[in-house]
Amino acid sequence: MEFDLLYDAAINYGKLNNIGYHIILGRRGKSYTLDIYFPHEAFYHLAGLQHLKDLTFPSHNKERIYKDICNKKITYDNLKRSEFFDKCFIQDRLTYLPSLEEMLDNVSLIFRINLNNYL
């Protein structure tokens, strides 16, 4: 059985389906609450599939696309055909998605995002 990065990311993401996070963020004396859930249809965006505009998926329903990935009807090789695959860091997204739970569970983790890398 050949390893498929997309399938692996989807299966690992699916394990988060019944998990939620309630995070309190603070900055400059103010606090903000962030609730995170992991519905199947959100995988589409976390994996960056919306950026692969030159690909046609069998359905527009994002949950259906997730299920097609889990059933190996859509594969990593399918995504690599897109001219936007490298430009939108799809391989990086899929590589780190299986670590999402570990990253969120790390209470000392600090995220800094440089928007210039994504615009």
Side-chain angles (χ1 to χ4, degrees):
M1 187 166 131
E2 186 177 320
F3 176 76
D4 186 292
L5 186 60
L6 177 63
Y7 173 81
D8 184 57
I11 294 300
N12 280 293
Y13 175 81
K15 295 174 185 175
L16 296 172
N17 189 248
N18 294 317
I19 296 174
Y21 287 86
H22 180 76
I23 301 171
I24 300 173
L25 305 168
R27 181 171 180 181
R28 297 186 179 165
K30 293 185 180 182
S31 65
Y32 305 90
T33 302
L34 178 64
D35 292 310
I36 304 175
Y37 301 96
F38 303 95
H40 291 145
E41 60 270 14
F43 179 81
Y44 181 84
H45 290 287
L46 288 171
L49 303 184
Q50 76 277 13
H51 297 297
L52 306 179
K53 297 174 184 168
D54 55 343
L55 295 184
T56 303
F57 295 102
S59 172
H60 292 291
N61 181 295
K62 292 165 183 61
E63 185 173 5
R64 177 79 251 155
I65 292 170
Y66 172 79
K67 289 178 180 177
D68 283 348
I69 292 167
C70 291
N71 292 323
K72 297 186 178 184
K73 293 179 182 176
I74 300 171
T75 67
Y76 182 70
D77 285 339
N78 297 136
L79 303 186
K80 286 182 8 183
R81 293 183 185 130
S82 171
E83 69 177 85
F84 301 103
F85 183 84
D86 290 327
K87 294 176 190 174
C88 296
F89 307 101
I90 303 302
Q91 181 174 343
D92 291 343
R93 287 174 176 249
L94 296 176
T95 298
Y96 293 109
L97 256 173
S99 303
L100 187 58
E101 182 177 15
E102 181 182 335
M103 287 188 280
L104 289 169
D105 286 344
N106 183 344
V107 294
S108 65
L109 188 63
I110 296 174
F111 289 98
R112 290 196 173 106
I113 299 171
N114 183 348
L115 290 178
N116 293 328
N117 289 341
Y118 298 100
L119 298 178

